[in-house]
Amino acid sequence: MDAFQITGGVPLVGAVDASGAKNAALPIMAAAILADEPVLLDGVPDLLDVATLSRMLRRLGVSVRHQGVQSLRLENKDATLVQADGRLMRRMRASFCVLGPLVARRRQAIVPLPGGCAIGDRPVDLHLRGLAALGADIQVRDGCVVAQARRLTGARIHLSGPWGPTVTGTANVLSAATLARGTTVITGAATEPEIVDLGKFLTRIGARIEGLGTQTIVVEGIEQLGGGGHRVIPDRIEAATLLCAGAITGGQVTVRGVIAEHMTAVLEVLADAGFGVRLHEDSITLTSTTDFRRPIQLTARPYPHVPTDMQSQFTALASLIPGRSQITDQVFPQRFHHVRELARLGAKVRRTAGGAIVTGVSQLEGARVVATDLRASASLVLAGLAAEGMTVVHRIGHLERGYERLDEKLNNLGAQVERLDSRGNEFGSAEKSHQQSLGNRPWRTLDRKARFGPESSHDLVAS
């Protein structure tokens, strides 16, 4: 994998645009399996996870075509294909969201158990129990979920487990329930904005859903769904990460095209820590107006609380705030692989049961670090932006699963981030010239056909 070489110590200043939300786009793309007519999605980010799911959907008989910048047209072409590609499935957990749509629309699904980031135990038992309650015959054979049903039937289903509601489980069951006979009542449902966005998409193509954004969702099943257009919501995790980049470097950053109410808990943490936060009509500005900082005390929990996907970034930020901060993660208590790498940069972080205690230092020092997962990658980039000297973050392929053109966005704010190839070398002049021809996007060295695959359901991207 390539690496980022970061020359730190530069306060970030300026404005950037938020990309579409990965965690909304992926389940919506999977739900296109349900549609009897073409679906047009706008605001889809150009990410490795999107490319991976595009490949998987093609192998499931769904045409996935670009129509303009960040727009995808999806259309079911072959409804006889029901087996998801295991190699692609292992690359990201969100691909498991094809299970519900497949069994609801095509009456059968063979879906390998999912992979993704190594951030702790993430069972899929609630997914399977929910679909079984709808009448699907569920078996696990040789690492695959095999599901069959003549037609699903509405039921009352509870989707909250020991660590709270399951987000991808809610996506799977909600999607499947749209074509079930009768009424489905989902209790303990996830309330994340990305689930609400999925529900809005399903409603646009004909589904009958009430209660989105609450823990009780009621779905009246119908015979078939149509098609239509939908714009994916902005990515609240990317936006929050960019605001943290401004905070950790002592700068001033505005993120445009955001929905502030989706980020209330994150903004409260930043304000409580002493940063200036201003809300505009569709943007947020973070300002480092004073040297006075207060330690961070947060617990990552399901929405509307601080998301687990921001825990590692706040750990990095806390490493430069005087005093003792306490970070706890009640969603993925084992999600602290970044702690060891932050220590290489001089951070003082001590692991606790389900969390970490961070004692702020006056300065981080550049070093070579290795990313272990998507959000850990972001935390190391943030720390590198603030560190004195040069930091090299290896294995940034994790990062590109969920952040669109992050180095470009940071450099537009004044950062000094260069991409190195897998051997640690800067891209050569010929490569740079080719990058410029692709729109100054240094890691996009493949054309669209090579990146997303030919338009064939039988053509097989790593993330």
Side-chain angles (χ1 to χ4, degrees):
M1 290 186 180
D2 296 340
F4 279 173
Q5 179 175 285
I6 305 169
T7 303
V10 179
L12 303 190
V13 178
V16 291
D17 295 318
S19 298
K22 170 184 88 91
N23 291 336
L26 296 176
I28 291 173
M29 290 172 63
I33 292 172
L34 298 164
D36 279 358
E37 299 174 15
V39 166
L40 182 63
L41 301 181
D42 291 322
V44 179
D46 181 14
L47 302 171
L48 287 177
D49 274 7
V50 171
T52 298
L53 186 56
S54 296
R55 295 286 181 89
M56 178 175 289
L57 289 173
R58 288 192 180 102
R59 287 188 60 83
L60 288 169
V62 180
S63 167
V64 184
R65 301 177 59 186
H66 281 268
Q67 290 202 334
V69 178
Q70 295 187 326
S71 293
L72 292 180
R73 184 182 187 276
L74 299 96
E75 183 178 7
N76 282 280
K77 294 291 190 179
D78 186 349
T80 67
L81 300 174
V82 297
Q83 183 163 355
D85 183 85
R87 184 175 61 89
L88 298 174
M89 179 68 68
R90 286 190 293 272
R91 294 174 179 170
M92 64 174 189
R93 181 177 177 81
S95 55
F96 200 63
C97 285
V98 302
L99 176 63
L102 281 175
V103 72
R105 179 66 179 83
R106 301 184 184 180
R107 309 297 189 239
Q108 185 178 6
I110 303 172
V111 179
L113 293 169
C117 290
I119 61 175
D121 189 26
R122 302 196 290 178
V124 296
D125 57 313
L126 291 173
H127 301 237
L128 305 187
R129 291 179 192 173
L131 293 173
L134 291 173
D137 175 47
I138 304 287
Q139 298 183 42
V140 179
R141 304 176 192 160
D142 300 323
C144 289
V145 176
V146 180
Q148 299 182 71
R150 284 179 173 271
R151 185 181 178 188
L152 300 177
T153 302
R156 190 174 185 88
I157 302 165
H158 190 71
L159 290 179
S160 187
W163 309 113
T166 166
V167 177
T168 51
T170 300
N172 252 327
V173 175
L174 173 60
S175 296
T178 60
L179 293 180
R181 182 186 294 107
T183 302
T184 298
V185 178
I186 303 172
T187 61
T191 62
E192 273 73 1
E194 295 78 14
I195 291 296
V196 175
D197 203 36
L198 168 63
K200 288 182 176 179
F201 162 72
L202 292 169
T203 301
R204 285 183 183 275
I205 63 173
R208 300 171 183 171
I209 304 171
E210 295 181 359
L212 291 170
T214 77
Q215 288 199 330
T216 301
I217 300 175
V218 180
V219 184
E220 293 289 342
I222 59 176
E223 290 288 336
Q224 65 180 39
L225 296 171
H230 180 77
R231 173 166 287 276
V232 175
I233 59 172
D235 195 322
R236 60 192 173 108
I237 306 301
E238 181 210 43
T241 300
L242 290 167
L243 293 176
C244 282
I248 201 169
T249 61
Q252 177 173 305
V253 168
T254 297
V255 183
R256 299 177 297 225
V258 297
I259 301 176
E261 66 184 83
H262 292 172
M263 302 172 60
T264 300
V266 164
L267 299 180
E268 287 176 350
V269 171
L270 290 169
D272 289 346
F275 297 96
V277 177
R278 287 182 291 156
L279 307 183
H280 313 286
E281 183 176 351
D282 66 345
S283 65
I284 302 171
T285 298
L286 178 134
T287 307
S288 303
T289 56
T290 174
D291 291 333
F292 178 67
R293 298 285 179 264
R294 293 180 289 271
I296 292 173
Q297 310 292 326
L298 71 82
T299 299
R301 289 185 287 171
Y303 189 82
H305 303 285
V306 176
T308 179
D309 281 352
M310 281 302 301
Q311 174 262 109
S312 60
Q313 295 92 311
F314 275 124
T315 302
L317 177 59
S319 70
L320 285 171
I321 293 180
R324 179 175 291 185
S325 297
Q326 184 160 349
I327 313 291
T328 304
D329 196 328
Q330 290 187 357
V331 180
F332 295 124
Q334 301 171 346
R335 192 179 196 173
F336 284 89
H337 298 300
H338 50 286
V339 165
R340 180 178 61 184
E341 298 304 304
L342 288 173
R344 297 181 188 276
L345 299 168
K348 293 184 178 180
V349 187
R350 178 169 61 87
R351 282 284 281 113
T352 62
I357 294 176
V358 187
T359 302
V361 298
S362 60
Q363 183 66 61
L364 298 175
E365 300 291 337
R368 288 183 177 270
V369 292
V370 179
T372 55
D373 62 72
L374 169 55
R375 306 306 174 183
S377 303
S379 74
L380 298 177
V381 170
L382 294 184
L385 292 170
E388 185 72 20
M390 184 177 296
T391 297
V392 178
V393 182
H394 293 275
R395 300 187 67 189
I396 52 131
H398 292 296
L399 191 77
E400 293 172 355
R401 290 186 49 219
Y403 291 93
E404 184 178 41
R405 308 191 308 276
L406 183 61
D407 51 348
E408 180 180 317
K409 291 186 177 185
L410 292 173
N411 287 339
N412 287 340
L413 295 171
Q416 298 178 32
V417 182
E418 295 180 271
R419 174 173 292 266
L420 306 179
D421 65 21
S422 59
R423 296 177 299 279
N425 301 315
E426 193 177 342
F427 278 99
S429 57
E431 179 63 37
K432 288 181 178 178
S433 175
H434 180 56
Q435 293 155 9
Q436 292 171 0
S437 72
L438 294 177
N440 195 28
R441 296 164 68 174
W443 65 97
R444 302 297 187 238
T445 59
L446 303 177
D447 62 25
R448 179 165 291 163
K449 182 175 180 181
R451 177 161 164 73
F452 287 92
E455 188 52 39
S456 168
S457 62
H458 299 287
D459 290 316
L460 287 179
V461 88
S463 59

